[in-house]
Amino acid sequence: MIETPSRPHGRLAIALVLAGLHGCALAPIAENVRDDDEDGWFTNATNQAIVLTLVSGAFPLPGQFRVVVDEVRFPLSPALDATIAVGPANVGTPTALGFPVATRTIGTNLLELPEQRATFRAPVVVQRVTAGAPVEVGTGIVEWQNREATFSVTLGSATLTFASSLSQFADPTPDSADGDSDGDGIRERDEAQLSAGFDGIGDPRPGRADLFMIVGHTHASSALSASSRELLRSRFAERGIAMHIDAGVGGLMTGTGGSAVADGTNVTLAQARTLRDLNVTVGNRRTFAYFALLTREQVECNGLAFGCAEFPGNSGGNVLVALSRLLDWMPDIKAYQAGVLMHELGHNLGLCHPMATACATGVLPAAEQNAGTTIMGTPAENPPIGVWGVPLPNPLVLVNAMTRPLDYSPTQWSNMQLGAGLGQ
Ligand SMILES: [Ca+2]
Ligand SMILES: [Ca+2]
Ligand SMILES: [Ca+2]
Ligand SMILES: [Zn+2]
């Protein structure tokens, strides 16, 4: 072949350079970008994991402080109430923290080359906690990139220092896009969709369980509250599961023809599934998302209830419905909303009430058969109050419902079948 004079010189020059590199540099590049199963993760160790660490914080006055990143409370603690103590002598000087606060991933959506930069963002809130009540000291967005860096952010009168670190990993299941090496029920091709489409969330590596939940509501007043989001995400983070709540496709959900759920309608689980199907289109998200519908109306599940949920099975296992507030005009007392969501989500995860004598994921050991020590305890399960079915507001039912801890029992955390009911 003879090059014609009209051919651009630039292309010829590139062709010559590539020809010159053939057999050395070009082959490793091709090797690096292999994605044998086409799931969005490179076969070789060229996928990126970027960890953001909160290195230290300088706080403007003495007291107890908390830093909320990505709606997760740090320091993490079993009671979700841990704080950073700042004494009078330490005001304005950095207190060493060292908390990993966020992880992001990059697969084949960005080539692994030195100049390929991605920017990630997370909301940050600094709170001063007095007698359990947080007061906001500063709020903002922290931004970081896929490279090693240390930087400070001033939020109100607090200064936080962060460090980003980068490591690389191979596709955990290089020969199957349907692999699920972290056992969270999210296939590796969907983990890559999450990573590419949602600011780097979604992590396919072993030990990196993700839980993705879409929350809808039937009226503006039944929406998911910011404090419920924070409590749920903190609890699951504290137990090693990255919970993501989709604010994009959730929100106000209407019925056929765009009409609101009529006042006085008792909403059933089947209706919640129908509303999900109407409002969340078939596609990737439906295959890896749990769906919660928060209602203003009464919820009906073999009689009126706070909520009900599908167990993993042939006909579903990823839809729940819950009464958003005990009374529409009342504030969210004792984190009722986070509690009812976590209880019903527990059923989606295969968990039963703690006193159950038969349960697909296992009967609890005797020491944990205590309705007062798990959110899976029902209001009727505290002996001697056998009042299930007594109409609200039965004060004893309410007291029981309000006093469950926002947690599953240890055996429930290990028995849960994360992701078992997804995909329908
Ligand atoms: Ca792959
Ligand atoms: Ca997975
Ligand atoms: Ca995962
Ligand atoms: Zn239940």
Side-chain angles (χ1 to χ4, degrees), residues 180 182 184 186 191 202-205 208-210:
D180 181 22
D182 60 357
D184 60 7
I186 305 177
E191 301 260 17
D203 193 332
R205 295 173 293 168
R208 295 287 175 167
D210 294 277

Side-chain angles (χ1 to χ4, degrees), residues 79-112:
L80 308 181
D81 64 351
T83 51
I84 302 153
V86 177
N90 302 110
V91 169
T93 62
T95 299
L97 301 173
F99 310 139
V101 291
T103 300
R104 299 289 194 266
T105 59
I106 300 174
T108 65
N109 55 309
L110 193 73
L111 286 179
E112 203 290 310

Side-chain angles (χ1 to χ4, degrees), residues 7-204:
R7 179 154 249 178
H9 292 291
R11 186 176 300 177
L12 179 61
I14 289 167
L16 289 172
V17 168
L18 289 179
L21 292 174
H22 182 73
C24 49
L26 199 59
I29 289 171
E31 183 68 14
N32 282 351
V33 298
R34 271 174 57 192
D35 175 7
D36 294 338
D37 55 3
E38 298 183 335
D39 65 351
W41 302 108
F42 293 122
T43 297
N44 294 305
T46 44
N47 302 288
Q48 303 174 51
I50 303 95
V51 175
L52 184 72
T53 299
L54 176 55
V55 176
S56 65
F59 301 93
L61 65 169
Q64 304 294 319
F65 291 86
R66 183 155 72 205
V67 180
V68 183
V69 183
D70 259 348
E71 303 177 306
V72 174
R73 293 176 175 179
F74 293 95
L76 285 173
S77 72
L80 308 181
D81 64 351
T83 51
I84 302 153
V86 177
N90 302 110
V91 169
T93 62
T95 299
L97 301 173
F99 310 139
V101 291
T103 300
R104 299 289 194 266
T105 59
I106 300 174
T108 65
N109 55 309
L110 193 73
L111 286 179
E112 203 290 310
L113 292 170
E115 72 277 16
Q116 297 277 8
R117 291 285 165 238
T119 301
F120 306 109
R121 291 170 189 83
V124 183
V125 183
V126 179
Q127 298 169 339
R128 186 166 184 260
V129 183
T130 307
V135 175
E136 196 173 292
V137 172
T139 181
I141 302 284
V142 59
E143 279 192 6
W144 70 103
Q145 291 190 317
N146 55 329
R147 61 187 170 122
E148 310 271 334
T150 300
F151 56 96
S152 294
V153 177
T154 299
L155 302 164
S157 44
T159 300
L160 303 178
T161 299
F162 292 93
S164 56
S165 62
L166 194 154
S167 60
Q168 294 182 303
F169 63 94
D171 185 340
T173 317
D175 56 355
S176 171
D178 294 328
D180 181 22
S181 48
D182 60 357
D184 60 7
I186 305 177
R187 299 175 302 175
E188 276 157 29
R189 69 173 78 191
D190 294 330
E191 301 260 17
Q193 289 282 337
L194 280 168
S195 179
F198 294 89
D199 193 35
I201 66 170
D203 193 332

